[in-house]
Amino acid sequence: MQNLEQFQALLSTPKRVVITTHHKPDADALGSSLGLAGYLKQYNHQVTVITPTDYPTFLNWMEGNNEVVVFTNTGMETKAAELVADADIIFCLDFSSLDRINQLGELVRASSAKKVLIDHHRNPEDFAQFVEWDVEAAATAQLIYRLLCAMGDREKITPAIADCLYAGIMTDTGSFRHSNTSKEVHLVVAELIDLGANVNRVSQLIYDNGSLDRLRFMGYALSERLEVLPQYSTAYIAISAEDLMRFQIKTGDTEGLVNYALSIEGVCFAALITEREDGVKLSLRSVGDFSVSDLASKHFNGGGHKNAAGGRSDKSFTETLAYFESLLPQYQSLLDTTNQLQNAHV
Ligand code: 5GP
Ligand code: MN
């Protein structure tokens, strides 16, 4: 952070703090938020984490989860709006533009609070007075760790905070497998373990805590809904609203599914296209230099990272599938090159 001294001065007396994060928070979004909240509370700041929507139940173990204000929960909108309007400082974690937090975005923009952006997504919007942004960072949790250390507060990271931050780094690196798994990631994680993160417990709570319905749904999606287009080195899984209903799919149940499509030999680009209540959602993954963030921002009002991005479509589900397929020919040569480079590495 460039103006770290000013930031520290701001935090030197107790403040009303709101921490918010993106739509459908994942482990990095919620872990960073609750980790930071746990830290700030030690300095007697009055801290509330507000999420724009609900999030998967496999994140409920995080310390502070019970106090999270979920904007879309009944009766919470007014409370959240008041907290945002009255805040002295608003932290925006793990998203780079205010449209990622739905109606909360305009409330945050209108608040006179000082804004702090801590994030690792591409194309950050210029709305914050304090910024800890690094597109090279694997996770926002890594940036929280970096910031706390820069403020000389490594020792304030309790085992519960370390668990939250570890969860964010573990999931955003795909369990230390994605191309964002740097030396710094391993060094930070080693420090978090030193500070009390329980690696085995966190991974069980996140990965081994699903319902039977979810597992059966995964099997169904892979056997019935996976389309492979070898000529484009592409695979996609299309899930209709009816599919979601049939398996009683809840928030978070589809997480990880898109990676199976990417695991097929020769596939460089994978998509999960889901017919949700609020429109069609796309979850995109790639390998090498093929940027799904560019593709998402160009065609699906979205963005994210080079190899992991998301977006949405206002077309119908079937129209979206046709549109998605119709885009592939223009990416043919990029996909061919990516595929060749991947093979060259084998
Ligand atoms: P996922 O596919 O797991 O939902 O998201 C992959 C990455 O893309 C995450 O870093 C997520 O924050 C980002 N992302 C997902 N959906 C959107 C979207 O609609 N807009 C933008 N800008 N980013 C998204
Ligand atoms: Mn993240």
Side-chain angles (χ1 to χ4, degrees):
M1 185 179 288
Q2 279 178 350
N3 42 0
L4 185 65
E5 276 178 26
Q6 246 177 297
F7 180 65
Q8 285 185 286
L10 181 68
L11 287 174
S12 64
T13 53
K15 293 289 184 318
R16 283 165 301 193
V17 176
V18 162
I19 301 173
T20 189
T21 188
H22 62 75
H23 177 89
K24 295 285 172 188
D26 54 16
D28 189 33
L30 196 72
S32 299
S33 300
L34 289 174
L36 177 65
Y39 161 77
L40 290 170
K41 282 178 187 169
Q42 295 174 50
Y43 284 102
N44 299 319
H45 297 293
Q46 200 183 306
V47 190
T48 313
V49 173
I50 304 178
T51 61
T53 65
D54 67 339
Y55 47 84
T57 51
F58 60 73
L59 301 179
N60 284 352
W61 55 269
M62 291 183 178
E63 189 174 81
N65 169 68
N66 293 339
E67 292 148 37
V68 172
V69 172
V70 179
F71 188 76
T72 43
N73 280 1
T74 325
M76 284 299 149
E77 250 181 63
T78 319
K79 184 176 177 185
E82 281 170 13
L83 285 162
V84 168
D86 293 344
D88 301 309
I89 310 172
I90 302 177
F91 285 88
C92 297
L93 304 191
D94 203 37
F95 65 92
S96 57
S97 65
L98 288 173
D99 64 359
R100 282 281 282 147
I101 57 173
N102 312 343
Q103 298 105 296
L104 251 184
E106 285 319 305
L107 299 174
V108 168
R109 202 187 294 283
S111 170
S112 59
K114 292 271 187 281
K115 320 277 161 48
V116 187
L117 175 73
I118 306 177
D119 182 48
H120 66 135
H121 291 90
R122 288 179 164 199
N123 308 321
E125 183 184 337
D126 183 15
F127 68 89
Q129 289 76 43
F130 299 95
V131 177
E132 182 75 46
W133 178 79
D134 182 358
V135 77
E136 298 293 322
T140 297
Q142 184 184 344
L143 296 176
I144 299 283
Y145 177 82
R146 204 188 276 176
L147 184 61
L148 300 195
C149 289
M151 295 198 295
D153 272 342
R154 180 189 180 275
E155 304 311 318
K156 293 278 180 193
I157 300 176
T158 61
I161 295 174
D163 277 347
C164 288
L165 300 183
Y166 179 78
I169 299 174
M170 177 186 77
T171 54
D172 266 23
T173 56
S175 299
F176 312 101
R177 294 186 306 127
H178 298 332
S179 57
N180 57 6
T181 312
S182 60
K183 176 180 170 184
E184 189 191 342
V185 161
H186 284 290
L187 290 173
V188 169
V189 159
E191 295 296 325
L192 291 174
I193 293 171
D194 209 27
L195 290 160
N198 188 333
V199 168
N200 183 240
R201 175 175 167 269
V202 171
S203 96
Q204 280 181 354
L205 286 166
I206 290 188
Y207 294 128
D208 302 331
N209 224 351
S211 65
L212 178 60
D213 269 339
R214 175 181 185 266
L215 196 60
R216 295 228 191 274
F217 165 75
M218 290 278 185
Y220 168 81
L222 297 178
S223 64
E224 305 295 325
R225 293 290 184 248
L226 173 66
E227 297 286 337
V228 184
L229 306 168
Q231 68 275 35
Y232 299 117
S233 311
T234 295
Y236 72 90
I237 300 171
I239 303 293
S240 68
E242 204 183 322
D243 293 335
L244 294 178
M245 213 142 63
R246 176 170 162 200
F247 290 91
Q248 303 193 37
I249 290 308
K250 296 179 192 65
T251 300
D253 280 352
T254 55
E255 225 161 273
L257 186 52
V258 65
N259 296 314
Y260 287 106
L262 198 64
S263 75
I264 303 163
E265 187 184 7
V267 168
C268 300
F269 174 35
L272 171 67
I273 306 175
T274 316
E275 187 184 15
R276 299 266 178 204
E277 276 171 10
D278 52 351
V280 181
K281 160 85 188 142
L282 291 96
S283 192
L284 308 173
R285 298 292 184 271
S286 64
V287 296
D289 277 340
F290 185 69
S291 169
V292 281
S293 163
D294 289 351
L295 189 142
S297 67
K298 195 158 172 210
H299 305 287
F300 296 107
N301 306 306
H305 312 287
K306 185 174 76 176
N307 296 134
R312 56 192 183 276
S313 156
D314 297 326
K315 296 179 173 39
S316 75
F317 181 54
T318 36
E319 278 166 1
T320 305
L321 300 183
Y323 178 59
F324 176 82
E325 287 207 24
S326 78
L327 293 173
L328 296 174
Q330 61 182 284
Y331 290 102
Q332 173 99 61
S333 72
L334 261 178
L335 287 163
D336 283 348
T337 314
T338 309
N339 194 8
Q340 278 154 17
L341 284 172
Q342 286 304 114
N343 287 333
H345 290 155
V346 174

